[in-house]
């Protein structure tokens, strides 16, 4: 158990809908990272937040957004969902740039 | 642009023998490298890491070797155990410029199967 929790574990929704994925980092970790793992793309970095502020951005679509709240939990919002958004979404947290501990992931299926 | 590559999608090894997983990278700004292990339906688990100022790091049965001139790293598992069967991801990070602080770039993964 990494200490990082993600909810929900599974999510099935229709195209065009909007969903919110939630992540609670390990106690004391200020950084939260979001990654997407799809079949053909592997693990891709989406976005990083550090103590409530956006720190780095990867190949995150404009339809996707994230935020980190004062209690350090983070949410990833995915809107206007397309079939290609079906993937595993992982959250990771860490205290330094070189330590990242991953949650169990949220499996999103868009039908 | 695949900056971190694991060219072997799978590797099969007998229990007790050595497993060698390989990883190549193209970005010379990477200064830290990590290996993660992933079981189905779980998130990646950190295994071992190495800074670019070293060429070897050892932790129990796991050793990571870094060859900067060849832009190549490898993970050795000795002796291999059936419980090591999982997907192994190589990842790299750079602190350069500040804008990619903490971002990990992952390889595609190698499925390791250790047979009893």
């Amino acid at each position: 158990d990494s200490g990082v929790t993600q909810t929900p574990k599974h999510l099935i929704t229709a195209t065009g809908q909007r969903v919110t994925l939630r992540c609670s980092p390990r106690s004391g970790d200020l950084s939260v990272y979001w990654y997407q793992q799809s079949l053909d793309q592997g693990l891709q970095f989406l976005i990083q937040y550090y103590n409530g502020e956006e720190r780095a951005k990867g190949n995150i679509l404009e339809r996707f957004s994230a935020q980190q709240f004062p209690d350090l939990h983070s949410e990833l919002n995915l809107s206007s969902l397309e079939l290609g958004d079906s993937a595993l979404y992982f959250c990771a947290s860490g205290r330094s740039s070189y330590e990242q501990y991953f949650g169990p992931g949220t499996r999103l299926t868009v039908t | 642009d695949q900056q971190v590559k694991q060219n072997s999608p799978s590797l099969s090894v007998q229990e007790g023998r050595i497993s060698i997983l390989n990883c190549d990278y193209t970005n010379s700004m990477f200064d830290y490298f990590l290996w993660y292990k992933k079981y189905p339906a779980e998130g990646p688990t950190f295994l071992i890491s190495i800074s670019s100022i070293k060429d070897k790091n050892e932790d129990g049965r796991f050793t990571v070797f870094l060859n900067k001139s060849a832009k190549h790293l490898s993970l050795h598992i000795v002796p291999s155990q059936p419980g090591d069967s999982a997907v192994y991801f190589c990842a790299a990070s750079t602190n350069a410029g500040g804008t990619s602080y903490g971002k990990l770039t992952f390889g595609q993964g190698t499925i390791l199967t250790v047979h009893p």
Side-chain angles (χ1 to χ4, degrees), chain A residues 49-102:
Chain A
Y49 275 81
Y50 178 82
N51 203 21
E53 293 189 3
E54 183 184 302
R55 180 63 69 96
K57 234 173 179 174
N59 297 325
I60 188 167
L61 300 171
E62 284 191 17
R63 301 183 285 109
F64 296 1
S65 65
Q67 54 185 325
Q68 186 179 28
F69 295 86
D71 67 352
L72 300 177
H73 90 270
S74 177
E75 292 181 355
L76 180 67
N77 301 296
L78 316 176
S79 60
S80 303
L81 285 167
E82 301 174 0
L83 295 177
D85 297 327
S86 296
L88 267 169
Y89 290 85
F90 289 104
C91 165
S93 76
R95 292 189 187 127
S96 75
S97 60
Y98 300 130
E99 291 179 18
Q100 294 187 26
Y101 297 87
F102 284 76

Side-chain angles (χ1 to χ4, degrees), chain B residues 41-92:
Chain B
E42 292 183 14
T45 302
F46 171 75
L47 260 182
I48 192 169
S49 61
I50 188 167
S51 163
S52 60
I53 62 173
K54 295 186 173 183
D55 54 19
K56 177 182 173 182
N57 188 27
E58 198 170 347
D59 184 2
R61 296 186 297 115
F62 302 91
T63 303
V64 56
F65 295 91
L66 175 62
N67 182 334
K68 280 182 63 179
S69 60
K71 293 192 177 70
H72 176 83
L73 65 154
S74 60
L75 174 68
H76 293 210
I77 307 173
V78 183
S80 301
Q81 299 172 355
D84 295 330
S85 297
V87 181
Y88 288 77
F89 290 97
C90 166

Side-chain angles (χ1 to χ4, degrees), chain A residues 25-66:
Chain A
R26 295 186 320 159
S27 176
D29 286 354
L30 298 180
S31 277
V32 168
Y33 308 80
W34 287 97
Y35 292 85
Q36 179 192 56
Q37 185 183 22
S38 51
L39 275 173
D40 57 344
Q41 292 289 327
L43 268 160
Q44 299 282 318
F45 169 74
L46 293 177
I47 197 164
Q48 178 203 357
Y49 275 81
Y50 178 82
N51 203 21
E53 293 189 3
E54 183 184 302
R55 180 63 69 96
K57 234 173 179 174
N59 297 325
I60 188 167
L61 300 171
E62 284 191 17
R63 301 183 285 109
F64 296 1
S65 65

Side-chain angles (χ1 to χ4, degrees), chain B residues 8-45:
Chain B
S8 299
S10 63
L11 175 68
S12 185
V13 170
Q14 206 68 31
E15 180 178 7
R17 306 295 289 267
I18 185 171
S19 295
I20 300 176
L21 298 109
N22 293 303
C23 179
D24 296 299
Y25 62 96
T26 56
N27 187 344
S28 56
M29 299 303 290
F30 287 141
D31 59 2
Y32 204 77
F33 304 89
L34 308 91
W35 284 94
Y36 282 84
K37 173 177 164 179
K38 186 181 180 306
Y39 294 116
E42 292 183 14
T45 302

